[in-house]
Amino acid sequence: MHISTLLPFLLSLLSLQTNACNPTRRSTNDNTTTNPFTLGTDGPAPPETLGYALNHIGLITNNLTAMKNFYGSILGMRLLFDAALTPEYTVTYMGYAQGGRNGTGFQTGTEMTMGKNNMYGLLEIVEFSVSDDTLVSSTQRTNTFSHVGLVVPDVVQAQTYLEGRGVDVLKRVGVPIEAFEGAVPNALGVGGFAGVHLEAKRRLVEAQGLIGWENFLLVRDPDGNLVEIQQQDV
């Protein structure tokens, strides 16, 4: 088959198979629901950005011990290092082995630290152990941070495991989002703090089958941050 004939078919498959904060394979609603997604058509990135990659995201905490336990002992991230810059200020880096899927090869903290700037998907946790600031998570109040996203080989198995570890599950696999209020809508920007955007709230609930939300596992970390866990594509 010539590539000019095959390309439209491949693009149609892509639109059905993509499944990470994006279209899922089916809708939980009737067939009149409009697919809200438009595939990207932007051109090549500026040549000056050749080699750029997302290395890490950063969180601020008042409870580094609990956060390290959650992302490390429970979710399996390795500790690269703690940098105690002052008695009250520590910068911690965590991530999965080789910056990708866990279990792809054991690496010591030293090895991971040496390769830190060539890794992906790292988590930087900054602790202010003495602070007058009240840190408010996105599940409590919509802000500029939404959630941490993970991909796992078996999301149902992950659900069983995390529930057994006492993790706060906000939405189980297969359960749709029905409410406009609460932790999950707050983190998505359509909760009680979204003001008059009632139409956006309604459309999110209607379109969640297309987005894939019903098949996501949503949990909360010790600071209240939303952690979104999805099924890995095979």
Side-chain angles (χ1 to χ4, degrees):
M1 182 181 293
H2 192 272
I3 186 63
S4 62
T5 304
L6 185 61
L7 183 58
F9 173 70
L10 293 176
L11 289 175
S12 67
L13 283 180
L14 175 63
S15 67
L16 290 175
Q17 295 297 322
T18 308
N19 188 30
C21 274
N22 50 26
T24 187
R25 294 174 175 80
R26 65 182 183 86
S27 170
T28 55
N29 305 286
D30 59 51
N31 293 329
T32 63
T33 302
T34 302
N35 190 331
F37 291 92
T38 302
L39 294 178
T41 58
D42 52 319
E48 294 83 359
T49 65
L50 179 67
Y52 283 26
L54 182 60
N55 174 254
H56 68 275
I57 62 171
L59 300 175
I60 297 177
T61 185
N62 290 138
N63 192 350
L64 181 59
T65 299
M67 291 289 277
K68 287 170 65 176
N69 179 70
F70 177 79
Y71 285 102
S73 298
I74 295 177
L75 288 183
M77 289 187 182
R78 303 292 314 291
L79 174 65
L80 275 70
F81 61 82
D82 289 316
L85 305 180
T86 73
E88 301 83 18
Y89 186 89
T90 299
V91 176
T92 293
Y93 264 78
M94 303 185 73
Y96 290 114
Q98 300 184 5
R101 306 194 189 284
N102 206 23
T104 56
F106 178 80
Q107 291 173 292
T108 65
T110 299
E111 290 171 331
M112 293 182 73
T113 299
M114 292 293 291
K116 178 180 77 67
N117 286 359
N118 288 320
M119 297 175 73
Y120 312 113
L122 300 179
L123 194 63
E124 177 185 349
I125 306 174
V126 177
E127 181 189 44
F128 290 93
S129 60
V130 178
S131 174
D132 294 330
D133 294 332
T134 299
L135 302 179
V136 180
S137 70
S138 60
T139 57
Q140 297 172 283
R141 173 67 162 92
T142 299
N143 54 51
T144 58
F145 178 78
S146 177
H147 61 275
V148 174
L150 300 181
V151 174
V152 299
D154 189 324
V155 69
V156 175
Q157 187 177 75
Q159 176 176 271
T160 301
Y161 163 68
L162 293 175
E163 287 180 324
R165 295 296 299 267
V167 172
D168 184 11
V169 175
L170 298 174
K171 191 195 80 66
R172 304 182 81 250
V173 178
V175 176
I177 301 171
E178 297 178 349
F180 291 147
E181 308 294 336
V184 173
N186 283 345
L188 299 181
V190 293
F193 300 96
V196 298
H197 301 295
L198 298 178
E199 180 64 16
K201 298 179 183 181
R202 183 182 68 80
R203 290 298 301 274
L204 177 65
V205 172
E206 288 182 352
Q208 65 183 296
L210 292 168
I211 296 171
W213 277 101
E214 69 162 298
N215 295 319
F216 295 175
L217 171 64
L218 305 179
V219 304
R220 182 160 33 196
D221 78 9
D223 277 353
N225 300 304
L226 183 67
V227 179
E228 171 192 296
I229 303 174
Q230 302 183 37
Q231 175 73 42
Q232 170 186 334
D233 283 339
V234 179

mmCIF file of all heavy atoms in Angstrom, residues 15-53:
data_model
loop_
_atom_site.group_PDB
_atom_site.id
_atom_site.type_symbol
_atom_site.label_atom_id
_atom_site.label_comp_id
_atom_site.label_asym_id
_atom_site.label_seq_id
_atom_site.Cartn_x
_atom_site.Cartn_y
_atom_site.Cartn_z
ATOM 1 N N SER A 15 -6.197 8.784 16.137
ATOM 2 C CA SER A 15 -7.225 9.546 16.837
ATOM 3 C C SER A 15 -8.040 8.672 17.756
ATOM 4 O O SER A 15 -8.605 9.136 18.738
ATOM 5 C CB SER A 15 -8.154 10.231 15.822
ATOM 6 O OG SER A 15 -8.907 9.250 15.108
ATOM 7 N N LEU A 16 -8.086 7.366 17.481
ATOM 8 C CA LEU A 16 -8.834 6.448 18.338
ATOM 9 C C LEU A 16 -7.983 5.908 19.467
ATOM 10 O O LEU A 16 -8.482 5.653 20.567
ATOM 11 C CB LEU A 16 -9.354 5.267 17.505
ATOM 12 C CG LEU A 16 -10.455 5.583 16.503
ATOM 13 C CD1 LEU A 16 -10.758 4.337 15.670
ATOM 14 C CD2 LEU A 16 -11.719 6.064 17.202
ATOM 15 N N GLN A 17 -6.677 5.732 19.236
ATOM 16 C CA GLN A 17 -5.834 5.041 20.194
ATOM 17 C C GLN A 17 -5.201 5.954 21.234
ATOM 18 O O GLN A 17 -4.812 5.499 22.284
ATOM 19 C CB GLN A 17 -4.708 4.291 19.456
ATOM 20 C CG GLN A 17 -5.215 3.161 18.565
ATOM 21 C CD GLN A 17 -5.895 2.078 19.365
ATOM 22 O OE1 GLN A 17 -5.469 1.741 20.448
ATOM 23 N NE2 GLN A 17 -6.991 1.541 18.845
ATOM 24 N N THR A 18 -5.061 7.249 20.908
ATOM 25 C CA THR A 18 -4.401 8.147 21.851
ATOM 26 C C THR A 18 -5.181 8.183 23.141
ATOM 27 O O THR A 18 -6.377 8.330 23.145
ATOM 28 C CB THR A 18 -4.323 9.556 21.243
ATOM 29 O OG1 THR A 18 -3.756 9.468 19.957
ATOM 30 C CG2 THR A 18 -3.473 10.459 22.115
ATOM 31 N N ASN A 19 -4.464 8.077 24.303
ATOM 32 C CA ASN A 19 -5.200 7.923 25.559
ATOM 33 C C ASN A 19 -4.391 8.411 26.767
ATOM 34 O O ASN A 19 -4.047 7.658 27.633
ATOM 35 C CB ASN A 19 -5.577 6.444 25.754
ATOM 36 C CG ASN A 19 -6.502 6.265 26.929
ATOM 37 O OD1 ASN A 19 -7.274 7.158 27.257
ATOM 38 N ND2 ASN A 19 -6.422 5.112 27.576
ATOM 39 N N ALA A 20 -4.071 9.700 26.782
ATOM 40 C CA ALA A 20 -3.377 10.269 27.926
ATOM 41 C C ALA A 20 -3.807 11.721 28.063
ATOM 42 O O ALA A 20 -3.278 12.602 27.416
ATOM 43 C CB ALA A 20 -1.863 10.174 27.730
ATOM 44 N N CYS A 21 -4.801 11.955 28.921
ATOM 45 C CA CYS A 21 -5.440 13.265 29.015
ATOM 46 C C CYS A 21 -5.967 13.661 27.642
ATOM 47 O O CYS A 21 -5.847 14.801 27.214
ATOM 48 C CB CYS A 21 -4.475 14.327 29.524
ATOM 49 S SG CYS A 21 -4.377 14.421 31.307
ATOM 50 N N ASN A 22 -6.493 12.714 26.898
ATOM 51 C CA ASN A 22 -6.912 12.968 25.529
ATOM 52 C C ASN A 22 -7.966 11.944 25.102
ATOM 53 O O ASN A 22 -8.484 11.204 25.932
ATOM 54 C CB ASN A 22 -5.702 12.942 24.589
ATOM 55 C CG ASN A 22 -4.867 11.698 24.805
ATOM 56 O OD1 ASN A 22 -5.376 10.677 25.257
ATOM 57 N ND2 ASN A 22 -3.588 11.767 24.502
ATOM 58 N N PRO A 23 -8.306 11.841 23.817
ATOM 59 C CA PRO A 23 -9.432 10.985 23.430
ATOM 60 C C PRO A 23 -9.258 9.537 23.831
ATOM 61 O O PRO A 23 -8.190 8.955 23.665
ATOM 62 C CB PRO A 23 -9.455 11.120 21.895
ATOM 63 C CG PRO A 23 -8.778 12.411 21.615
ATOM 64 C CD PRO A 23 -7.734 12.551 22.680
ATOM 65 N N THR A 24 -10.300 8.927 24.338
ATOM 66 C CA THR A 24 -10.306 7.516 24.623
ATOM 67 C C THR A 24 -11.001 6.796 23.480
ATOM 68 O O THR A 24 -11.407 7.409 22.502
ATOM 69 C CB THR A 24 -11.000 7.230 25.963
ATOM 70 O OG1 THR A 24 -10.827 5.846 26.275
ATOM 71 C CG2 THR A 24 -12.484 7.534 25.910
ATOM 72 N N ARG A 25 -11.194 5.497 23.620
ATOM 73 C CA ARG A 25 -11.723 4.714 22.505
ATOM 74 C C ARG A 25 -13.239 4.776 22.374
ATOM 75 O O ARG A 25 -13.810 4.364 21.412
ATOM 76 C CB ARG A 25 -11.276 3.254 22.660
ATOM 77 C CG ARG A 25 -9.756 3.092 22.529
ATOM 78 C CD ARG A 25 -9.340 1.669 22.821
ATOM 79 N NE ARG A 25 -7.933 1.463 22.602
ATOM 80 C CZ ARG A 25 -6.983 1.807 23.450
ATOM 81 N NH1 ARG A 25 -7.307 2.412 24.587
ATOM 82 N NH2 ARG A 25 -5.718 1.576 23.188
ATOM 83 N N ARG A 26 -13.905 5.275 23.401
ATOM 84 C CA ARG A 26 -15.358 5.335 23.302
ATOM 85 C C ARG A 26 -15.880 6.396 24.249
ATOM 86 O O ARG A 26 -15.179 6.891 25.106
ATOM 87 C CB ARG A 26 -15.989 3.986 23.664
ATOM 88 C CG ARG A 26 -15.757 3.582 25.113
ATOM 89 C CD ARG A 26 -16.349 2.225 25.387
ATOM 90 N NE ARG A 26 -16.211 1.848 26.778
ATOM 91 C CZ ARG A 26 -17.056 2.169 27.736
ATOM 92 N NH1 ARG A 26 -18.113 2.910 27.454
ATOM 93 N NH2 ARG A 26 -16.865 1.783 28.988
ATOM 94 N N SER A 27 -17.133 6.731 24.083
ATOM 95 C CA SER A 27 -17.764 7.697 24.962
ATOM 96 C C SER A 27 -18.700 6.974 25.907
ATOM 97 O O SER A 27 -19.320 5.973 25.557
ATOM 98 C CB SER A 27 -18.563 8.721 24.139
ATOM 99 O OG SER A 27 -19.363 9.515 24.981
ATOM 100 N N THR A 28 -18.816 7.489 27.136
ATOM 101 C CA THR A 28 -19.755 6.898 28.083
ATOM 102 C C THR A 28 -21.142 7.472 27.887
ATOM 103 O O THR A 28 -22.080 7.082 28.560
ATOM 104 C CB THR A 28 -19.302 7.196 29.520
ATOM 105 O OG1 THR A 28 -19.137 8.612 29.683
ATOM 106 C CG2 THR A 28 -17.984 6.513 29.815
ATOM 107 N N ASN A 29 -21.280 8.417 26.969
ATOM 108 C CA ASN A 29 -22.553 9.063 26.742
ATOM 109 C C ASN A 29 -23.116 8.641 25.395
ATOM 110 O O ASN A 29 -22.573 7.793 24.705
ATOM 111 C CB ASN A 29 -22.371 10.585 26.803
ATOM 112 C CG ASN A 29 -21.720 10.996 28.121
ATOM 113 O OD1 ASN A 29 -22.354 10.975 29.155
ATOM 114 N ND2 ASN A 29 -20.430 11.330 28.062
ATOM 115 N N ASP A 30 -24.210 9.271 24.995
ATOM 116 C CA ASP A 30 -24.828 8.885 23.730
ATOM 117 C C ASP A 30 -23.978 9.374 22.567
ATOM 118 O O ASP A 30 -23.029 10.138 22.713
ATOM 119 C CB ASP A 30 -26.255 9.431 23.639
ATOM 120 C CG ASP A 30 -26.307 10.947 23.742
ATOM 121 O OD1 ASP A 30 -25.564 11.607 22.987
ATOM 122 O OD2 ASP A 30 -27.087 11.462 24.565
ATOM 123 N N ASN A 31 -24.364 8.926 21.375
ATOM 124 C CA ASN A 31 -23.557 9.197 20.193
ATOM 125 C C ASN A 31 -23.632 10.639 19.717
ATOM 126 O O ASN A 31 -22.967 11.011 18.757
ATOM 127 C CB ASN A 31 -23.975 8.260 19.050
ATOM 128 C CG ASN A 31 -23.626 6.814 19.354
ATOM 129 O OD1 ASN A 31 -22.651 6.536 20.042
ATOM 130 N ND2 ASN A 31 -24.437 5.893 18.843
ATOM 131 N N THR A 32 -24.466 11.459 20.366
ATOM 132 C CA THR A 32 -24.579 12.847 19.957
ATOM 133 C C THR A 32 -23.490 13.715 20.583
ATOM 134 O O THR A 32 -23.348 14.873 20.225
ATOM 135 C CB THR A 32 -25.958 13.415 20.358
ATOM 136 O OG1 THR A 32 -26.080 13.392 21.789
ATOM 137 C CG2 THR A 32 -27.077 12.595 19.756
ATOM 138 N N THR A 33 -22.717 13.157 21.522
ATOM 139 C CA THR A 33 -21.646 13.927 22.150
ATOM 140 C C THR A 33 -20.584 14.280 21.114
ATOM 141 O O THR A 33 -20.103 13.425 20.393
ATOM 142 C CB THR A 33 -21.005 13.140 23.299
ATOM 143 O OG1 THR A 33 -22.007 12.808 24.255
ATOM 144 C CG2 THR A 33 -19.927 13.975 23.968
ATOM 145 N N THR A 34 -20.245 15.545 21.040
ATOM 146 C CA THR A 34 -19.267 16.022 20.075
ATOM 147 C C THR A 34 -17.859 15.806 20.611
ATOM 148 O O THR A 34 -17.562 16.155 21.745
ATOM 149 C CB THR A 34 -19.486 17.512 19.782
ATOM 150 O OG1 THR A 34 -20.813 17.705 19.290
ATOM 151 C CG2 THR A 34 -18.484 18.010 18.749
ATOM 152 N N ASN A 35 -17.006 15.238 19.780
ATOM 153 C CA ASN A 35 -15.616 15.048 20.175
ATOM 154 C C ASN A 35 -14.944 16.419 20.259
ATOM 155 O O ASN A 35 -14.854 17.129 19.259
ATOM 156 C CB ASN A 35 -14.894 14.177 19.150
ATOM 157 C CG ASN A 35 -13.516 13.755 19.622
ATOM 158 O OD1 ASN A 35 -12.864 14.452 20.390
ATOM 159 N ND2 ASN A 35 -13.061 12.613 19.144
ATOM 160 N N PRO A 36 -14.450 16.810 21.439
ATOM 161 C CA PRO A 36 -13.896 18.158 21.598
ATOM 162 C C PRO A 36 -12.440 18.285 21.166
ATOM 163 O O PRO A 36 -11.863 19.350 21.284
ATOM 164 C CB PRO A 36 -14.031 18.392 23.107
ATOM 165 C CG PRO A 36 -13.842 17.032 23.692
ATOM 166 C CD PRO A 36 -14.484 16.066 22.712
ATOM 167 N N PHE A 37 -11.835 17.209 20.656
ATOM 168 C CA PHE A 37 -10.401 17.218 20.391
ATOM 169 C C PHE A 37 -10.072 17.546 18.946
ATOM 170 O O PHE A 37 -10.736 17.094 18.017
ATOM 171 C CB PHE A 37 -9.790 15.863 20.746
ATOM 172 C CG PHE A 37 -9.780 15.605 22.219
ATOM 173 C CD1 PHE A 37 -10.827 14.936 22.823
ATOM 174 C CD2 PHE A 37 -8.740 16.061 23.007
ATOM 175 C CE1 PHE A 37 -10.836 14.719 24.182
ATOM 176 C CE2 PHE A 37 -8.734 15.850 24.368
ATOM 177 C CZ PHE A 37 -9.783 15.169 24.956
ATOM 178 N N THR A 38 -9.029 18.332 18.787
ATOM 179 C CA THR A 38 -8.462 18.644 17.483
ATOM 180 C C THR A 38 -6.988 18.257 17.519
ATOM 181 O O THR A 38 -6.231 18.746 18.365
ATOM 182 C CB THR A 38 -8.591 20.144 17.158
ATOM 183 O OG1 THR A 38 -9.960 20.524 17.193
ATOM 184 C CG2 THR A 38 -8.001 20.435 15.781
ATOM 185 N N LEU A 39 -6.572 17.356 16.638
ATOM 186 C CA LEU A 39 -5.174 16.943 16.605
ATOM 187 C C LEU A 39 -4.286 18.103 16.190
ATOM 188 O O LEU A 39 -4.665 18.920 15.345
ATOM 189 C CB LEU A 39 -4.990 15.768 15.644
ATOM 190 C CG LEU A 39 -5.661 14.454 16.042
ATOM 191 C CD1 LEU A 39 -5.435 13.397 14.973
ATOM 192 C CD2 LEU A 39 -5.150 13.974 17.392
ATOM 193 N N GLY A 40 -3.109 18.169 16.781
ATOM 194 C CA GLY A 40 -2.187 19.255 16.492
ATOM 195 C C GLY A 40 -1.725 19.273 15.053
ATOM 196 O O GLY A 40 -1.447 18.219 14.467
ATOM 197 N N THR A 41 -1.661 20.455 14.480
ATOM 198 C CA THR A 41 -1.183 20.619 13.100
ATOM 199 C C THR A 41 -0.063 21.652 13.024
ATOM 200 O O THR A 41 0.287 22.086 11.932
ATOM 201 C CB THR A 41 -2.341 21.051 12.179
ATOM 202 O OG1 THR A 41 -2.900 22.286 12.665
ATOM 203 C CG2 THR A 41 -3.424 19.979 12.127
ATOM 204 N N ASP A 42 0.470 22.039 14.188
ATOM 205 C CA ASP A 42 1.528 23.036 14.168
ATOM 206 C C ASP A 42 2.780 22.451 13.516
ATOM 207 O O ASP A 42 3.007 21.252 13.527
ATOM 208 C CB ASP A 42 1.851 23.543 15.575
ATOM 209 C CG ASP A 42 2.123 22.418 16.559
ATOM 210 O OD1 ASP A 42 1.400 21.408 16.489
ATOM 211 O OD2 ASP A 42 3.054 22.535 17.374
ATOM 212 N N GLY A 43 3.584 23.323 12.982
ATOM 213 C CA GLY A 43 4.758 22.891 12.235
ATOM 214 C C GLY A 43 5.910 22.494 13.129
ATOM 215 O O GLY A 43 5.758 22.360 14.351
ATOM 216 N N PRO A 44 7.090 22.295 12.538
ATOM 217 C CA PRO A 44 8.257 21.904 13.328
ATOM 218 C C PRO A 44 8.586 22.952 14.389
ATOM 219 O O PRO A 44 8.298 24.137 14.229
ATOM 220 C CB PRO A 44 9.373 21.811 12.279
ATOM 221 C CG PRO A 44 8.665 21.647 10.979
ATOM 222 C CD PRO A 44 7.381 22.399 11.104
ATOM 223 N N ALA A 45 9.186 22.488 15.490
ATOM 224 C CA ALA A 45 9.606 23.404 16.542
ATOM 225 C C ALA A 45 10.754 24.277 16.044
ATOM 226 O O ALA A 45 11.457 23.913 15.104
ATOM 227 C CB ALA A 45 10.028 22.621 17.775
ATOM 228 N N PRO A 46 10.968 25.444 16.675
ATOM 229 C CA PRO A 46 12.106 26.280 16.284
ATOM 230 C C PRO A 46 13.410 25.488 16.362
ATOM 231 O O PRO A 46 13.623 24.730 17.315
ATOM 232 C CB PRO A 46 12.088 27.401 17.333
ATOM 233 C CG PRO A 46 10.673 27.455 17.808
ATOM 234 C CD PRO A 46 10.175 26.039 17.763
ATOM 235 N N PRO A 47 14.267 25.619 15.390
ATOM 236 C CA PRO A 47 15.516 24.841 15.392
ATOM 237 C C PRO A 47 16.373 25.114 16.618
ATOM 238 O O PRO A 47 17.163 24.261 17.022
ATOM 239 C CB PRO A 47 16.217 25.290 14.107
ATOM 240 C CG PRO A 47 15.569 26.584 13.724
ATOM 241 C CD PRO A 47 14.164 26.488 14.206
ATOM 242 N N GLU A 48 16.192 26.300 17.219
ATOM 243 C CA GLU A 48 16.950 26.623 18.418
ATOM 244 C C GLU A 48 16.599 25.716 19.593
ATOM 245 O O GLU A 48 17.352 25.626 20.567
ATOM 246 C CB GLU A 48 16.725 28.083 18.824
ATOM 247 C CG GLU A 48 17.268 29.106 17.839
ATOM 248 C CD GLU A 48 16.311 29.367 16.690
ATOM 249 O OE1 GLU A 48 15.227 28.742 16.632
ATOM 250 O OE2 GLU A 48 16.655 30.193 15.832
ATOM 251 N N THR A 49 15.418 25.034 19.530
ATOM 252 C CA THR A 49 14.981 24.181 20.641
ATOM 253 C C THR A 49 15.345 22.720 20.425
ATOM 254 O O THR A 49 14.863 21.850 21.156
ATOM 255 C CB THR A 49 13.460 24.306 20.852
ATOM 256 O OG1 THR A 49 12.770 23.795 19.704
ATOM 257 C CG2 THR A 49 13.058 25.744 21.092
ATOM 258 N N LEU A 50 16.169 22.416 19.439
ATOM 259 C CA LEU A 50 16.585 21.042 19.186
ATOM 260 C C LEU A 50 17.190 20.435 20.452
ATOM 261 O O LEU A 50 18.096 21.011 21.063
ATOM 262 C CB LEU A 50 17.614 21.001 18.057
ATOM 263 C CG LEU A 50 18.165 19.609 17.700
ATOM 264 C CD1 LEU A 50 17.073 18.747 17.104
ATOM 265 C CD2 LEU A 50 19.334 19.741 16.721
ATOM 266 N N GLY A 51 16.693 19.283 20.867
ATOM 267 C CA GLY A 51 17.214 18.611 22.044
ATOM 268 C C GLY A 51 16.531 18.977 23.342
ATOM 269 O O GLY A 51 16.832 18.403 24.386
ATOM 270 N N TYR A 52 15.572 19.930 23.327
ATOM 271 C CA TYR A 52 14.855 20.284 24.543
ATOM 272 C C TYR A 52 14.003 19.102 24.999
ATOM 273 O O TYR A 52 13.479 18.341 24.189
ATOM 274 C CB TYR A 52 13.928 21.482 24.300
ATOM 275 C CG TYR A 52 14.603 22.834 24.242
ATOM 276 C CD1 TYR A 52 15.942 22.969 23.874
ATOM 277 C CD2 TYR A 52 13.887 23.988 24.537
ATOM 278 C CE1 TYR A 52 16.540 24.208 23.813
ATOM 279 C CE2 TYR A 52 14.486 25.233 24.481
ATOM 280 C CZ TYR A 52 15.809 25.349 24.107
ATOM 281 O OH TYR A 52 16.404 26.579 24.058
ATOM 282 N N ALA A 53 13.844 18.933 26.318
ATOM 283 C CA ALA A 53 13.003 17.868 26.864
ATOM 284 C C ALA A 53 12.501 18.301 28.236
ATOM 285 O O ALA A 53 13.153 19.096 28.927
ATOM 286 C CB ALA A 53 13.778 16.557 26.982
#
